[in-house]
Amino acid sequence: MRSCGIVVEYNPFHNGHRYHAKKARELSGADVVVAVMSGNFLQRGEPAIVDKWARAQTALQNGVDLVIELPFAWAVQSADYFAKGSIKFLQALNCDALCFGTDSDIVFDYAGYGRFFIEEKAAIDQLFHELPIGWSYPEKMAEVVSRLYPQAQKFPPNHLLGLSYAKENATYEHPMEIFPLPRKDQGYHDQTLAVDQFASATGIRQAVFAGEEVAAFVPREMLQELKRTAISWEDFWPYLNYQLRANSLADLREIYQMTEGLEHRLVEQAVPNFAGFLQTIRTKRYTKPRLQRLLTYVLLQVKAAEIKAEQENSMLHILGFTEQGQKYLNQIKKQVTLPIAAKIGQQEKDKHFLTYRADQIYQLIHPQEQTIGRFPIRV
């Protein structure tokens, strides 16, 4: 069976995601579409609007055959680490192809870029460290690539993530065949909704929180879930605010990626909600995703050693599969290079303790059991 991997968050799953799964199968000629999906906290440092089980269920009902959870230690990270974990999992699952969405409006050789990044690593690293200290990581990387690989001139979010996938994929002895899929209709950050177009997840979330109708943009299964629950950072603000008040500056300095005295900036603010807090601490140097990830680490009290330990103990937690997905798992089970977990027990919890902790925190807002003893969804 030929397989195509996709890396997803589904925050929430919408009609554009259904299109992605369909085109991934068509473009790659795959029999099986395998999704590596972030859990209850996401790459840009946000809690998922609905939980990982509901998102997996909708995906399996709309074109995906197998959903594997990307653990917290890989999921809540900058683009390069997020891509490193995602590609690691797809490679472990013996995927033949990789299909990702891109905002780039040019025909771009992602596989060629991946090879270039491996071959010219020394020059890339040198130029990166010569750029101004005040620049953010995405700004620096965009500048490096534009100078050394001028074919890559435009850097909307999904294009940058595609570059990260490509360079990580190129590090493997047998890279997956890459199939970039141009984004249709709404852009990544577009907040407008038009009934004859695919809407962005950003626009759909904004509409949901504003109490607007989104039935035209999401499958029926996801619509029902959004009506039952819609979670945002504001729900977690009391818990985050408590952590900022209860911990000393010395304790906060131990939080993963708490650098350059950021702990002082965080505790000096006194605002009534998360949106206001985020607005007061944002600067050009510290982007919204960077700060949201840091605040997620504060909320969960994440330490660097814990990130390293969970990454080194990676396993494939199966959230769900279709009949075709189950056949694929049976076919590859002897070749899979990471442990497979059909459900989380004590042994698995000890390996993925950050993911388990994230699920426990998520349960403070969404009481349904997120981890222990749940079997994969079968569709």
Side-chain angles (χ1 to χ4, degrees):
M1 298 172 72
R2 180 170 167 82
S3 58
C4 182
I6 57 178
V7 182
V8 300
E9 295 201 301
Y10 296 153
N11 190 39
F13 189 101
H14 56 66
N15 295 342
H17 293 136
R18 181 166 53 196
Y19 171 80
H20 176 208
K22 177 184 176 183
K23 296 300 291 185
R25 193 184 305 272
E26 291 178 0
L27 292 171
S28 65
D31 304 294
V32 179
V33 174
V34 178
V36 169
M37 187 187 80
S38 301
N40 286 324
F41 287 86
L42 309 176
Q43 193 262 332
R44 293 171 64 84
E46 299 169 301
I49 191 170
V50 298
D51 76 38
K52 59 188 179 185
W53 298 99
R55 287 179 284 132
Q57 175 94 35
T58 304
L60 293 168
Q61 292 169 318
N62 288 275
V64 176
D65 295 298
L66 174 63
V67 182
I68 302 293
E69 181 176 12
L70 184 64
F72 180 93
W74 292 115
V76 187
Q77 291 281 6
S78 60
D80 282 351
Y81 280 102
F82 179 82
K84 185 179 182 68
S86 302
I87 299 301
K88 174 187 177 78
F89 276 41
L90 292 177
Q91 283 282 347
L93 288 159
N94 282 12
C95 286
D96 302 294
L98 169 67
C99 180
F100 53 80
T102 174
D103 303 277
S104 179
D105 56 4
I106 59 174
V107 176
F108 184 78
D109 181 7
Y110 283 95
Y113 168 80
R115 292 189 296 271
F116 154 80
F117 209 93
I118 301 303
E119 295 165 359
E120 302 296 330
K121 187 177 187 306
I124 290 168
D125 289 345
Q126 179 179 342
L127 178 54
F128 184 92
H129 290 296
E130 290 174 355
L131 293 172
I133 294 176
W135 288 19
S136 68
Y137 177 87
E139 288 173 329
K140 282 189 175 184
M141 191 52 65
E143 181 66 18
V144 167
V145 175
S146 65
R147 290 192 198 180
L148 300 182
Y149 201 83
Q151 299 94 314
Q153 292 286 347
K154 298 183 179 181
F155 301 95
N158 278 9
H159 182 48
L160 278 174
L161 199 51
L163 298 180
S164 296
Y165 295 145
K167 66 185 182 185
E168 186 61 32
N169 185 49
T171 65
Y172 286 85
E173 182 179 359
H174 301 291
M176 292 174 284
E177 187 177 2
I178 293 177
F179 294 91
L181 178 65
R183 176 182 285 272
K184 289 186 66 176
D185 301 330
Q186 301 297 318
Y188 184 84
H189 291 299
D190 201 322
Q191 298 179 11
T192 60
L193 299 180
V195 293
D196 59 343
Q197 296 182 341
F198 292 141
S200 72
T202 302
I204 292 170
R205 289 195 304 275
Q206 184 182 63
V208 168
F209 293 132
E212 298 173 7
E213 182 57 62
V214 296
F217 310 105
V218 300
R220 176 179 53 83
E221 303 87 356
M222 182 52 59
L223 180 64
Q224 293 173 346
E225 189 64 31
L226 288 169
K227 288 181 177 180
R228 281 193 292 267
T229 178
I231 293 171
S232 76
W233 247 120
E234 294 297 345
D235 296 304
F236 292 96
W237 170 242
Y239 303 103
L240 173 63
N241 198 22
Y242 169 80
Q243 294 287 25
L244 292 171
R245 300 292 176 262
N247 284 278
S248 68
L249 289 174
D251 290 335
L252 288 173
R253 276 193 291 272
E254 296 301 313
I255 297 295
Y256 179 57
Q257 292 193 351
M258 188 72 75
T259 59
E260 302 172 339
L262 269 171
E263 68 277 8
H264 293 278
R265 188 172 186 83
L266 299 186
V267 300
E268 289 169 357
Q269 313 302 325
V271 291
N273 55 47
F274 180 80
F277 178 72
L278 189 63
Q279 189 61 36
T280 61
I281 63 174
R282 283 181 67 177
T283 67
K284 183 178 180 181
R285 177 166 173 73
Y286 299 114
T287 62
K288 180 180 177 181
R290 163 81 167 86
L291 289 171
Q292 287 187 155
R293 283 192 292 268
L294 179 61
L295 295 174
T296 301
Y297 304 145
V298 173
L299 178 68
L300 272 65
Q301 294 292 287
V302 177
K303 309 297 192 296
E306 294 178 313
I307 291 285
K308 183 173 185 290
E310 182 166 279
Q311 289 178 347
E312 290 176 348
N313 286 282
S314 292
M315 66 181 180
L316 302 168
H317 178 209
I318 303 170
L319 293 177
F321 46 72
T322 63
E323 182 178 352
Q324 191 79 338
Q326 187 172 24
K327 288 179 182 177
Y328 181 70
L329 280 173
N330 291 333
Q331 173 187 301
I332 66 168
K333 61 184 177 183
K334 292 184 179 179
Q335 289 80 44
V336 173
T337 56
L338 289 173
I340 295 178
K343 67 175 181 176
I344 302 299
Q346 186 62 47
Q347 183 178 358
E348 293 79 15
K349 187 183 81 170
D350 291 344
K351 286 185 177 182
H352 272 199
F353 47 87
L354 280 181
T355 302
Y356 174 69
R357 189 188 305 166
D359 289 348
Q360 284 188 304
I361 297 299
Y362 196 83
Q363 277 182 255
L364 294 174
I365 307 302
H366 185 58
Q368 184 177 4
E369 172 59 58
Q370 291 296 307
T371 306
I372 300 299
R374 289 191 67 161
F375 287 96
I377 298 163
R378 297 169 183 260
V379 172

